[in-house]
Amino acid sequence: MAGLLGWLANWLATRNGYGAPTLPLTSLVTTAVIIAITLVFGGRVLRWNNGSRDRPLDPILAARTLVLAQACAYAGAVSLGWHAGIFVDQLALLAVRSTTAPLWGSIALMVGGMVMIMVGLVVENFCRLPPDDDTGAMSRDEGEYA
C-alpha cells in the first residue's frame, strides 16, 4: 500500500512541477539512531534470555523493547514501500531527467528501510520468552513474547 501511495504521490508531484516527495538523505542518520537504540535495548533482553540473570529483567523494559522492535519493523516497511514506489516512477522519468539524485536517494532510503525491518524482526525475536523447563509445554518457536 505504501508503495502505491509513494508512486501516486511522486506521479502527481512530478507531473505538476514539484520535486520527488522523498525524505532527505539526512533522515538516514535518524534511521541509524533508531536502529542503534533498538539493538541496545534488544541486547539487554537477549542477554537476560541467554542466562545472564544477575538482576531481574524489568517487564516494562521488555514490553517497551518489543513494541520498539515492532514499530521499527513497521516504519521500515512503510519507508521501503514509499520509496520503492517513488523509485519505480523515477525509473520511467530517467530518460527525460538531467539528474538521477531522486533515484539514488530512493535507493538509499529503501536500503535504510530494509535494515530497519531486519533489525526490528531480529530484536522482536530476542523478546521471546525462553521455553518453560518445568512444564515442557512450549517449544522455542511457540514461546510467548516477554
Side-chain angles (χ1 to χ4, degrees):
M1 183 56 111
L4 182 62
L5 290 174
W7 176 84
L8 182 61
N10 189 67
W11 186 84
L12 288 171
T14 55
R15 271 59 172 193
N16 290 307
Y18 296 103
T22 62
L23 291 172
L25 287 178
T26 55
S27 67
L28 289 173
V29 174
T30 305
T31 300
V33 169
I34 292 169
I35 288 169
I37 290 170
T38 305
L39 285 172
V40 166
F41 285 130
R44 294 171 89 185
V45 174
L46 179 65
R47 279 192 303 276
W48 186 85
N49 266 342
N50 286 340
S52 176
R53 298 184 178 161
D54 52 342
R55 58 185 168 161
L57 179 66
D58 181 15
I60 299 297
L61 172 74
R64 287 180 178 164
T65 302
L66 175 63
V67 170
L68 176 64
Q70 290 173 339
C72 186
Y74 286 132
V78 169
S79 179
L80 172 62
W82 178 267
H83 290 97
I86 292 171
F87 177 79
V88 167
D89 194 45
Q90 289 294 319
L91 279 178
L93 298 173
L94 195 57
V96 295
R97 288 223 180 228
S98 61
T99 179
T100 59
L103 198 65
W104 290 110
S106 292
I107 291 172
L109 291 161
M110 285 167 42
V111 170
M114 284 188 267
V115 173
M116 283 183 80
I117 293 169
M118 289 186 295
V119 167
L121 293 176
V122 167
V123 171
E124 185 178 340
N125 195 39
F126 290 170
C127 294
R128 288 194 181 273
L129 290 175
D132 205 8
D133 292 337
D134 297 333
T135 63
M138 281 192 190
S139 70
R140 179 88 173 149
D141 294 333
E142 298 169 344
E144 296 178 26
Y145 287 105

